[in-house]
Amino acid sequence: MPEALIIGFGKSGVAAARLLKQEGWEVELCDSSTSPTLLEQQQQLASEHITVKLGHKPEFTNSDISKLIVLSPGVPWDIPILAKARELGIETIGEMELAWRYLQDIPWVAITGTNGKTTTTALTAAIFQTAGLNAPACGNIGHAACEVAIQARGNTSTSLSNQRQEARGNTEKNSVDWIIGELSSYQIESSVTLAPRIGIWTTFTPDHLARHKTLENYYNIKAKLLHNSQIQIFNGDDTYLSKLGLTHWPNAYWTTVKGEKFLIGEKGFYIENGWVMEKITPTPQAIVEVSALRMVGEHNQQNLLMSVAAARLAGIDITAISQAVREFSGVPHRLEHICNWQGIDFINDSKATNYDAAEVGLASVHSPAILIAGGEAKAGDDTTWLAQIQAKAAAVLLIGNAAPAFAKRLQEMGYSNYHIVETMANAVSLSGELAKKYQASVVLLSPACASFDQYPNFEMRGEDFRQLCQKYLVP
């Protein structure tokens, strides 16, 4: 019986363990941390005959050479124990790569980028599903990729090699038509053979440098996914990507919101006179009105273009695209409208975990606004974010570990109307009062930070904001 060690007890790690167990592997899952929640999950997995070791860091020797190591995305690729495992010749892959090995007979749309990938993934999946395709969104959004593999495989216990052979000869074996995957740099880094039918690169700005060390490393990781994609789609309005242009990506389809004359290359998708236009043949074709999309902001028009491009290049008809775009309401935690209280809109942008995303969030709402920001700060250039605060924020409420440093930066920029409130509860309770004082029409949670100082993830932070708004503001 083949043996596998799953490192990292997150959603992805648990899905990987269950998939391999279903496939007849002897599975052990370990995590260096422990908590009541993890202990409860440990008991659940034990009932499924999956061994879980909490508070445990594995050590590898030559006797482990035949094992497979699978990483959750949150486990850094270059930590010493994994470097040693690879030196010993132990196969080491990420959960996304494992899913690919079971799903590679299905075409993938893989979306990556510093910002914009979640909305682009959700909208792309919505379009494919409106067209009648079984196209689950997975990865950094929705299900873990291995969960989709479990569903696609059903209860079959045949080997991976047999499954691939059967899938080629029996189209009813697997009912999934397309995989729509959102891939972070962490997931790409640990994927060895993943090769999507369509790859999308939304934006590129400095992020995750504490893990990837240099901008060049971060770029090369994302570029690997696009190089492995049969069809490549790029956001031509992104400053960094557009400078690379046809020199680096000569066969790509480019997009732009600025009109046909700004399109990079001879083929792509652009906005002209309020319409998304397709230019694949010499005669451009109108696809859908931009006004059909309910989400605000130029960045969402960029996301719209990339999603439409993927759909058209996958052969989806215009009618389905138009219907899906009109029905699409956005994604949770990304400029999500929570409630209106006494004429003030409360908006959850918890997914804005870096300066660039937070700058886009603030630029997308009406001014003046009350901004809630802070958390666990990341490395990056905060200049344009601070300029946006000066232009649009009547007051800033600072939470989390980053609050003192953010206060200092605001002072340095000559902005003094900030309040260190520490917690989300304090921020929400004060925000309505400040909004009325300054006649602000919006209270925006757009943290520009990771959430790990106070929350397990940005989703929990956004949910806390939602619940507090309902507690304090909704009668």
Side-chain angles (χ1 to χ4, degrees):
M1 183 181 291
E3 297 179 63
L5 174 66
I6 317 297
I7 303 179
F9 200 175
K11 177 176 69 173
S12 297
V14 171
R18 284 176 168 152
L19 173 61
L20 288 172
K21 189 66 179 179
Q22 175 181 288
E23 294 296 311
W25 291 65
E26 186 69 32
V27 180
E28 179 181 301
L29 194 157
C30 71
D31 197 294
S32 59
S33 61
T34 186
S35 71
T37 301
L38 293 181
L39 288 168
E40 185 177 329
Q41 287 182 291
Q42 181 185 39
Q43 292 177 349
Q44 170 61 42
L45 290 171
S47 70
E48 300 173 33
H49 305 290
I50 296 172
T51 301
V52 177
K53 294 183 178 179
L54 297 176
H56 175 73
K57 292 184 179 180
E59 293 290 338
F60 300 107
T61 66
N62 286 322
S63 64
D64 298 308
I65 191 72
S66 63
K67 288 183 178 178
L68 173 67
I69 300 172
V70 182
L71 311 179
S72 288
V75 179
W77 183 247
D78 59 355
I79 57 176
I81 60 168
L82 295 179
K84 181 180 179 181
R86 291 193 291 272
E87 287 174 10
L88 290 169
I90 303 170
E91 186 177 14
T92 306
I93 62 173
E95 179 264 345
M96 185 65 69
E97 169 71 15
L98 178 65
W100 164 255
R101 294 183 181 188
Y102 285 90
L103 295 169
Q104 61 184 285
D105 294 299
I106 301 166
W108 285 48
V109 179
I111 298 107
T112 194
T114 309
N115 297 307
K117 57 184 178 291
T118 296
T119 300
T120 303
T121 302
L123 178 54
T124 301
I127 294 171
F128 279 60
Q129 291 161 14
T130 301
L133 298 169
N134 183 2
C138 66
N140 237 26
I141 184 176
H143 300 288
C146 281
E147 288 183 76
V148 176
I150 291 169
Q151 294 165 8
R153 297 278 290 127
N155 294 318
T156 179
S157 58
T158 55
S159 69
L160 173 58
S161 58
N162 287 344
Q163 183 266 335
R164 290 175 184 162
Q165 292 170 2
E166 291 170 11
R168 293 189 186 100
N170 180 4
T171 56
E172 293 182 359
K173 182 75 176 180
N174 195 319
S175 61
V176 177
D177 300 305
W178 282 81
I179 304 294
I180 315 297
E182 178 187 330
L183 275 68
S184 70
S185 56
Y186 300 172
Q187 291 162 316
I188 300 168
E189 184 178 36
S190 57
S191 294
V192 183
T193 64
L194 195 155
R197 177 76 57 81
I198 299 173
I200 299 176
W201 195 335
T202 60
T203 55
F204 185 73
T205 54
D207 199 10
H208 305 304
L209 297 186
R211 174 151 163 177
H212 299 311
K213 311 306 180 189
T214 68
L215 191 64
E216 182 181 16
N217 286 343
Y218 181 43
Y219 173 84
N220 288 336
I221 289 167
K222 289 190 175 293
K224 180 175 78 168
L225 180 72
L226 275 292
H227 282 304
N228 288 344
S229 300
Q230 293 178 31
I231 298 170
Q232 303 157 344
I233 300 169
F234 284 84
N235 176 8
D237 295 323
D238 181 82
T239 303
Y240 192 102
L241 297 175
S242 64
K243 287 179 181 176
L244 300 176
L246 298 176
T247 304
H248 285 73
W249 304 97
N251 299 313
Y253 292 83
W254 292 83
T255 67
T256 180
V257 300
K258 300 175 184 177
E260 183 179 4
K261 66 180 180 179
F262 288 91
L263 189 65
I264 298 172
E266 297 299 318
K267 59 184 183 180
F269 294 76
Y270 59 92
I271 291 176
E272 197 89 76
N273 298 322
W275 282 82
V276 171
M277 303 295 295
E278 169 188 295
K279 187 181 180 184
I280 296 177
T281 63
T283 304
Q285 179 177 200
I287 306 298
V288 62
E289 289 178 289
V290 177
S291 60
L293 184 69
R294 286 186 260 172
M295 301 179 71
V296 298
E298 185 177 272
H299 64 292
N300 280 320
Q301 294 179 10
Q302 295 168 355
N303 299 334
L304 170 65
L305 281 168
M306 291 179 284
S307 294
V308 170
R312 291 295 293 157
L313 294 169
I316 293 175
D317 66 59
I318 293 173
T319 302
I321 293 171
S322 179
Q323 179 184 342
V325 172
R326 293 178 193 283
E327 293 175 351
F328 186 70
S329 59
V331 297
H333 314 297
R334 191 64 177 120
L335 291 171
E336 177 191 15
H337 187 271
I338 300 299
C339 66
N340 182 284
W341 177 75
Q342 296 187 13
I344 303 160
D345 289 317
F346 285 72
I347 296 177
N348 169 22
D349 197 31
S350 181
K351 190 165 171 48
T353 59
N354 56 50
Y355 298 120
D356 296 288
E359 187 271 328
V360 167
L362 193 51
S364 301
V365 301
H366 296 295
S367 61
I370 306 300
L371 174 66
I372 301 172
E376 187 175 290
K378 292 182 178 181
D381 184 356
D382 62 4
T383 306
T384 56
W385 176 63
L386 291 170
Q388 194 68 243
I389 288 174
Q390 287 183 307
K392 299 194 74 167
V396 180
L397 301 173
L398 298 173
I399 64 173
N401 289 349
F406 280 6
K408 183 179 178 182
R409 287 292 290 137
L410 289 167
Q411 281 183 325
E412 291 170 353
M413 296 290 288
Y415 186 98
S416 59
N417 201 18
Y418 61 83
H419 307 263
I420 296 178
V421 296
E422 299 182 347
T423 68
M424 188 72 74
N426 291 338
V428 173
S429 64
L430 181 57
S431 63
E433 176 186 327
L434 290 176
K436 287 193 288 184
K437 178 180 179 180
Y438 295 109
Q439 297 184 318
S441 59
V442 174
V443 171
L444 173 68
L445 167 66
S446 193
C449 285
S451 60
F452 305 125
D453 58 333
Q454 295 179 319
Y455 301 93
N457 49 52
F458 72 81
E459 292 96 339
M460 291 297 291
R461 177 171 60 191
E463 285 302 317
D464 190 30
F465 178 72
R466 182 199 313 278
Q467 291 171 15
L468 289 164
C469 286
Q470 292 169 345
K471 176 181 177 181
Y472 288 119
L473 307 171
V474 178

